[in-house]
């Protein structure tokens, strides 16, 4: 054992001596050649050092704008928007629906400091997206659009927006994509009950009030999401959510063309089985393991009536997708378009039937 210790000590002594010899040689060479770095050269190297993040921010900074909404002549709230498309003098900006909801006037503040009144082309409460237009020739450039489906968990991203108001416009935070295809329940009418599920990207890049409608950008400078919401709690940190750009594009296209999103209609009123009273469950003789929605009313002349769906039918599957509650049913329905033909699996009495319906 002692021999081993002696060998280790000897190796360390030899190693240290070798290092000291190398340092002596380097210093001696620098002194002879006069190539020792000067202070100004060192500081120049440090100051000119550039990261990918600074490149991305410099590239996209002018593509992010602040949004201010007015009610009764006063500022009622603010948020963020992104330059989505430019056609001649028409500059289209995407933001969140809740940023401009019920606004009497909407003003866009460009990164250059110019303020412009905006026209609300359309908005959609379910996807929380809105499309604005400002008219004029400005030094603007639209975002390059990425493919959110190709984004990876752990990928670096930058979130840009105006947290807490225009005083902090174009603030930048840095983080990673923490998760994909997250399902976040949303209460649309503030009744304390979630009535829609949003599919979102999760990020730990800080997203604060006022960041809504801002940009989630990858390291290629591509827009991959519209920042929308965050979880806020003493027990939670770094859970922000962004609407994937692949979800944004078809909605914005409809808003631009029609001023609204044309959701399909089946022509029913329904309620989830798990929301029914025990008495109603007993009356319908619904087994415990059955999930789906019960048709409680049918619109006269609607798609459901035309297809043969009846009151008290239980819809368990929508176009091949099992539905557990009304939110899932509506989410699957809203993936379709008017005129689409869908297959419904229905329990009527003790029989399982498959019914085709053409959506209105």
């Amino acid at each position: 054992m002692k021999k081993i210790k002696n060998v280790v000590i000897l190796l360390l002594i030899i190693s240290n001596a070798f290092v000291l010899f190398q340092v002596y040689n380097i210093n001696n060479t620098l002194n002879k050649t006069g190539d020792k770095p000067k202070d100004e050269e060192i500081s120049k190297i440090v100051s000119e050092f550039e990261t990918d993040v600074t490149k991305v921010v410099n590239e996209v900074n002018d593509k992010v704008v602040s949004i201010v909404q007015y009610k009764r002549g006063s500022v009622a709230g603010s948020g963020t928007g992104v330059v989505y498309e430019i056609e001649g003098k028409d500059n289209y900006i995407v933001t969140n629906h809740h940023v401009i909801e019920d606004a009497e006037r909407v003003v866009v503040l460009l990164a250059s400091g110019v303020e412009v009144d905006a026209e609300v082309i359309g908005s959609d409460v379910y996807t929380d997206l809105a499309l604005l237009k400002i008219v004029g020739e400005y030094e603007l450039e639209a975002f390059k659009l990425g493919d959110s489906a190709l984004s990876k968990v752990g990928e670096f991203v930058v979130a840009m927006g105006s947290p807490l108001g225009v005083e902090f416009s174009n603030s930048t935070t840095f983080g990673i994509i923490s998760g994909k295809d997250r399902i976040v329940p949303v209460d649309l009418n503030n009744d304390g009950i979630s009535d829609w599920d949003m599919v979102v990207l999760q990020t730990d890049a800080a997203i604060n009030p006022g960041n809504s409608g801002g940009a989630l950008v990858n390291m290629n400078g591509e827009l991959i999401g519209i920042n929308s919401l965050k979880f806020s709690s003493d027990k939670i940190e770094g859970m922000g959510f962004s609407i994937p750009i692949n979800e944004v594009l078809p909605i914005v296209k409809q808003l631009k063309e029609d001023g609204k999103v044309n959701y399909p209609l089946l022509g029913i009123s329904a309620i989830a089985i798990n929301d029914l009273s025990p008495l109603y469950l007993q009356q319908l003789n619904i087994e415990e393991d059955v999930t789906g929605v019960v048709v409680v009313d049918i619109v006269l002349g609607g798609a459901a009536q035309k297809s043969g769906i009846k009151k008290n039918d239980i819809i368990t599957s929508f176009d091949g997708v099992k539905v557990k509650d009304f939110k899932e049913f509506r989410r699957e329905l809203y993936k379709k378009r008017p005129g689409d033909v869908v297959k419904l699996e229905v329990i009527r009495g003790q029989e399982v039937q498959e019914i085709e319906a053409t959506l209105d």
Side-chain angles (χ1 to χ4, degrees):
M1 194 68 181
K2 289 182 179 178
K3 290 182 179 180
I4 294 173
K5 288 183 178 178
N6 290 337
V7 171
V8 171
I9 292 171
L10 179 61
L11 287 173
L12 288 174
I13 292 172
I14 294 172
S15 175
N16 288 337
F18 176 76
V19 171
L20 289 172
F21 177 73
Q22 293 296 327
V23 170
Y24 171 78
N25 280 342
I26 291 170
N27 288 336
N28 193 40
T29 301
L30 289 174
N31 289 334
K32 286 181 179 179
T33 61
D35 290 336
K36 186 175 181 180
K38 298 178 182 179
D39 291 342
E40 59 267 25
E41 290 176 339
I42 295 173
S43 63
K44 183 179 180 181
I45 293 170
V46 173
S47 65
E48 288 185 353
F49 178 79
E50 192 171 41
T51 68
D52 287 340
V53 178
T54 61
K55 290 179 181 178
V56 171
V57 174
N58 287 335
E59 181 181 341
V60 305
N61 187 64
D62 292 343
K63 303 172 186 177
V64 180
V65 300
S66 298
I67 310 290
V68 182
Q69 68 148 291
Y70 289 82
K71 293 179 182 177
R72 292 181 287 277
S74 300
V75 174
S78 64
T80 310
V82 301
V83 181
Y84 163 73
E85 191 175 44
I86 299 175
E87 295 180 346
K89 293 184 178 182
D90 294 337
N91 305 271
Y92 292 95
I93 294 166
V94 173
T95 186
N96 285 142
H97 166 81
H98 74 262
V99 170
I100 54 88
E101 187 176 13
D102 299 326
E104 296 172 359
R105 179 189 174 206
V106 176
V107 173
V108 171
L109 176 64
L110 306 182
S112 62
V114 175
E115 293 186 11
V116 189
D117 279 283
E119 175 189 355
V120 178
I121 300 299
S123 67
D124 179 59
V125 64
Y126 289 106
T127 56
D128 195 24
L129 292 169
L131 182 66
L132 312 179
K133 182 174 76 173
I134 58 174
V135 179
E137 293 181 349
Y138 307 101
E139 293 184 1
L140 290 176
E141 185 178 344
F143 262 102
K144 293 185 295 183
L145 303 180
D147 184 346
S148 52
L150 299 180
S151 300
K152 297 179 180 179
V153 174
E155 178 181 342
F156 289 140
V157 288
V158 171
M160 298 187 68
S162 305
L164 304 180
V166 296
E167 297 86 357
F168 299 98
S169 61
N170 288 38
S171 292
T172 303
T173 56
F174 176 71
I176 63 170
I177 293 177
S178 307
K180 294 180 62 177
D181 299 322
R182 300 298 201 205
I183 304 296
V184 177
V186 181
D187 177 12
L188 298 176
N189 53 11
N190 298 316
D191 63 355
I193 301 173
S194 65
D195 38 28
W196 183 252
D197 287 333
M198 292 183 68
V199 180
V200 291
L201 292 169
Q202 179 188 339
T203 178
D204 68 349
I207 297 175
N208 296 297
N211 276 126
S212 293
L216 190 70
V217 184
N218 63 20
M219 290 298 101
N220 291 324
E222 297 169 334
L223 182 67
I224 60 169
I226 301 295
N227 301 326
S228 186
L229 66 160
K230 67 176 290 186
F231 283 159
S232 181
S233 167
D234 293 338
K235 299 180 181 179
I236 299 173
E237 184 176 345
M239 290 189 71
F241 299 97
S242 184
I243 307 168
I245 196 64
N246 290 14
E247 300 279 334
V248 173
L249 294 180
I251 300 300
V252 170
K253 182 179 179 182
Q254 286 194 67
L255 293 177
K256 184 179 177 183
E257 292 175 353
D258 304 323
K260 62 179 181 178
V261 178
N262 294 309
Y263 288 110
L265 299 173
L266 183 58
I268 63 170
S269 295
I271 187 169
I273 288 176
N274 54 15
D275 290 332
L276 294 175
S277 66
L279 180 60
Y280 204 171
L281 288 172
Q282 188 176 7
Q283 288 176 348
L284 295 177
N285 196 25
I286 299 175
E287 298 180 8
E288 291 184 3
D289 60 343
V290 174
T291 60
V293 296
V294 178
V295 178
V296 296
D297 201 3
I298 295 178
V299 176
L300 186 64
Q305 186 185 50
K306 292 175 182 177
S307 66
I309 293 175
K310 297 181 179 180
K311 186 176 179 180
N312 292 334
D313 281 353
I314 301 170
I315 301 174
T316 59
S317 174
F318 184 91
D319 221 25
V321 179
K322 295 291 184 181
V323 291
K324 297 178 181 178
D325 53 37
F326 189 73
K327 283 195 303 181
E328 286 190 4
F329 169 76
R330 181 162 53 189
R331 189 171 72 242
E332 293 304 318
L333 173 64
Y334 284 0
K335 289 179 181 178
K336 306 297 181 180
R337 291 290 174 262
D340 286 351
V341 177
V342 297
K343 292 183 179 180
L344 306 172
E345 186 178 277
V346 171
I347 298 177
R348 181 177 298 162
Q350 299 301 315
E351 294 185 12
V352 178
Q353 301 184 21
E354 191 173 88
I355 297 175
E356 281 193 355
T358 302
L359 301 175
D360 292 333

